[in-house]
Amino acid sequence: MLGIAIIIGSTRPGRKGEAVAKWAYEIAQKRSDAEFELVDIKDFNLPLLDEPMPPIMGRYTHDHTKRWSEKIASFDGYVFVTPEYNHATSGALKNAIDFLHAEWVNKAAGFIGYGGASGARAVENLRLIMGELQVATVRAQVGLSMFTDFENFSVFKPAPNQEKHVHVMLDQVIAWATALKTLREKQDSAG
Ligand SMILES: Cc1cc2nc3c(=O)[nH]c(=O)nc-3n(C[C@H](O)[C@H](O)[C@H](O)COP(=O)(O)O)c2cc1C
């Protein structure tokens, strides 16, 4: 069975990302074509990148990096739940991504963005980053607007049609994660 992580991309107190990710996780639980897990980068207490060697070398020295590496390596694909901060993703999510390299390679990813402009620019920013890490990003994405999916710009109340968008995005993530299996197997046997 494929394993897909739903990654909460914000860490600040009072973040809306947690409610958004939990909603997506509940929707994903209705499916039987993959196993889903909520991954909260906050739980990994990652400092600003503090590894002496570039992650592409895979020579990690810190326990927090090894723990994060093991978690991310265990999945076939990811759904990034990203806020939009200054027209980009969050610094916390970018930092967590930067900690690793091989763990992301030949996986598939989909996005759920949220913000004033539905997180669209944050998702575009993440797509560029994923390209460098050889993560296949799917076309379908979920965009949650502060104007129509959050009551009074505050409480998360997604419009009814958003659930359908989550499923379309997950369909594509699962299809691509499956298609990339061969490459991941080659990568594993090459060490
Ligand atoms: C540092 C910062 C920068 C932001 N910049 C943008 C922005 O460029 N575009 C936007 O639509 N919303 C922006 N917002 C609003 C966020 O999208 C909104 O606060 C959202 O709830 C943040 O996600 P979080 O609550 O999970 O941290 C910004 C918020 C913060 C804290």
Side-chain angles (χ1 to χ4, degrees):
M1 182 73 85
L2 287 179
I4 307 290
I6 297 176
I7 299 178
I8 308 177
S10 61
T11 53
R12 68 178 188 91
R15 61 189 174 165
K16 297 188 174 63
E18 192 173 345
V20 173
K22 284 184 172 162
W23 164 78
Y25 176 75
E26 291 304 319
I27 294 169
Q29 286 305 102
K30 298 176 189 170
R31 304 175 64 107
S32 56
D33 49 358
E35 277 174 6
F36 299 90
E37 185 177 324
L38 262 184
V39 173
D40 191 346
I41 52 180
K42 204 164 179 267
D43 292 341
F44 291 81
N45 293 317
L46 295 169
L48 285 175
L49 180 58
D50 62 348
E51 285 291 343
M53 299 300 282
I56 200 165
M57 312 286 285
R59 287 164 55 187
Y60 305 137
T61 59
H62 298 297
D63 286 346
H64 54 254
T65 315
K66 291 175 189 166
R67 212 174 132 238
W68 179 234
S69 161
E70 200 178 315
K71 177 55 71 184
I72 291 305
S74 71
F75 298 104
D76 301 290
Y78 311 96
V79 172
F80 291 98
V81 178
T82 181
E84 181 167 306
Y85 292 165
N86 297 316
H87 290 200
T89 193
S90 69
L93 179 55
K94 175 63 164 61
N95 183 57
I97 292 169
D98 288 346
F99 258 95
L100 309 177
H101 186 93
E103 296 82 348
W104 302 113
V105 170
N106 293 328
K107 308 281 180 71
F111 305 97
I112 300 177
Y114 55 96
S118 305
R121 295 162 296 214
V123 171
E124 290 302 303
N125 175 226
L126 274 169
R127 286 183 188 280
L128 277 179
I129 298 162
M130 293 293 114
E132 169 58 14
L133 290 167
Q134 289 175 262
V135 176
T137 64
V138 303
R139 178 175 184 269
Q141 69 190 55
V142 182
L144 300 161
S145 163
M146 284 295 157
F147 296 92
T148 51
D149 297 298
F150 291 81
E151 204 170 74
N152 300 323
F153 302 95
S154 150
V155 182
F156 183 47
K157 292 261 171 72
N161 65 338
Q162 294 291 9
E163 175 161 352
K164 183 183 69 198
H165 295 142
V166 174
H167 281 299
V168 175
M169 178 269 292
L170 290 177
D171 287 345
Q172 295 184 2
V173 171
I174 289 164
W176 283 30
T178 306
L180 287 165
K181 252 185 191 169
T182 324
L183 284 179
R184 287 199 297 281
E185 280 159 12
K186 271 192 201 158
Q187 184 186 343
D188 289 345
S189 61

